[in-house]
Amino acid sequence: MYSVIINAVLVVLVLVSQTVWASSDVSQFLGPQPGESIKLKLSDFGITKRVICTTVNDDGSYVIEEWTKLPKVRKVSPGERLKTKLPEGVRYADDLPEETMYRYYLTAEDGKLIFNKGKKNENIILDLNNREWSQLIWSSTGKVKADYVIVKEEERVVLGKLRKLVHVKYSLDLAGMHIEKLYVVASGLGIIREESLAPSSNKLTSTLVEE
């Protein structure tokens, strides 16, 4: 008798949880907001990145630009350039621009937050209808299968506002290696943190700078 009641309660709790996720508005995780920007600090060499929403298209998708500021490097003298012949397509570090720009689109559709770099490069960042999902993503060796799972949800004050944060872990096998990473999506901001879960790696790869 008691086991039947407990099982019934568990079923109700699962159904309620699924209903909450199904009714959640994924568009709250689009970001940064139009005209606003956030700053991310990368773990490599003190590199910083500005993430900006430049406009919102008629279909509701956000046009996002990531401006990565490269560290200052020593100038290569003309004499050194004559002595060193670089492979075709390779440039000296001091010939690179101070900032590089990467543009993509974020769309909220059917409970999913979708990253779009083109028809052949579209990935689901967040799926509020399913706590777990799989998809094919582009890699250096072509498309590979990646598995995603929502591991944590919380509310926290970020940049002066109470926001909903969703932690997503994903894993894939690439070139004989098993890779596990985690990112955090914040309402109104987009992805604000990324880290590697591999034991031997530099764990934190990027994090929000709260100024």
Side-chain angles (χ1 to χ4, degrees):
M1 177 68 176
Y2 288 113
S3 63
V4 172
I5 294 174
I6 292 172
N7 288 335
V9 171
L10 289 174
V11 169
V12 170
L13 288 174
V14 170
L15 289 175
V16 169
S17 175
Q18 290 177 343
T19 303
V20 169
W21 275 98
S23 63
S24 296
D25 182 9
V26 74
S27 65
Q28 66 182 301
F29 294 100
L30 289 167
Q33 296 304 298
E36 297 182 358
S37 67
I38 60 174
K39 184 179 179 181
L40 301 176
K41 181 180 180 181
L42 309 188
S43 61
D44 298 329
F45 310 108
I47 297 175
T48 58
K49 179 166 60 176
R50 292 182 298 118
V51 185
I52 306 167
C53 175
T54 58
T55 187
V56 178
N57 291 328
D58 293 339
D59 62 359
S61 61
Y62 279 37
V63 181
I64 305 293
E65 289 183 357
E66 293 185 353
W67 289 85
T68 302
K69 188 173 183 179
L70 303 177
K72 291 183 178 180
V73 296
R74 182 181 66 85
K75 289 288 184 180
V76 180
S77 68
E80 290 175 306
R81 291 172 183 263
L82 289 173
K83 293 177 183 178
T84 308
K85 186 176 181 181
L86 297 179
E88 186 176 351
V90 177
R91 293 189 291 171
Y92 289 100
D94 61 337
D95 290 334
L96 297 174
E98 291 185 0
E99 282 189 308
T100 61
M101 190 271 286
Y102 178 69
R103 181 183 291 115
Y104 57 90
Y105 304 89
L106 286 180
T107 305
E109 183 179 322
D110 298 328
K112 300 179 181 69
L113 185 65
I114 301 170
F115 163 95
N116 194 324
K117 179 60 178 173
K119 291 182 178 179
K120 294 184 178 180
N121 192 350
E122 186 174 286
N123 299 322
I124 298 170
I125 295 175
L126 193 60
D127 188 344
L128 298 189
N129 299 319
N130 301 284
R131 302 189 73 87
E132 300 182 25
W133 69 96
S134 299
Q135 61 187 334
L136 295 176
I137 64 174
W138 280 103
S139 72
S140 56
T141 60
K143 281 196 169 183
V144 296
K145 181 187 176 185
D147 299 313
Y148 297 72
V149 58
I150 293 172
V151 295
K152 183 180 179 181
E153 307 157 48
E154 61 175 325
E155 286 190 337
R156 182 157 52 87
V157 174
V158 180
L159 294 179
K161 292 183 180 180
L162 182 63
R163 303 181 190 273
K164 184 169 184 178
L165 276 62
V166 182
H167 299 241
V168 180
K169 183 179 79 171
Y170 72 99
S171 59
L172 65 149
D173 294 311
L174 180 64
M177 296 174 55
H178 183 69
I179 298 171
E180 288 191 353
K181 295 187 177 184
L182 182 139
Y183 57 84
V184 180
V185 190
S187 55
L189 298 176
I191 294 178
I192 61 169
R193 181 183 177 93
E194 295 182 74
E195 60 185 79
S196 172
L197 301 180
S200 59
S201 67
N202 184 355
K203 188 174 181 181
L204 186 63
T205 55
S206 71
T207 187
L208 178 71
V209 177
E210 298 197 57
E211 297 176 328

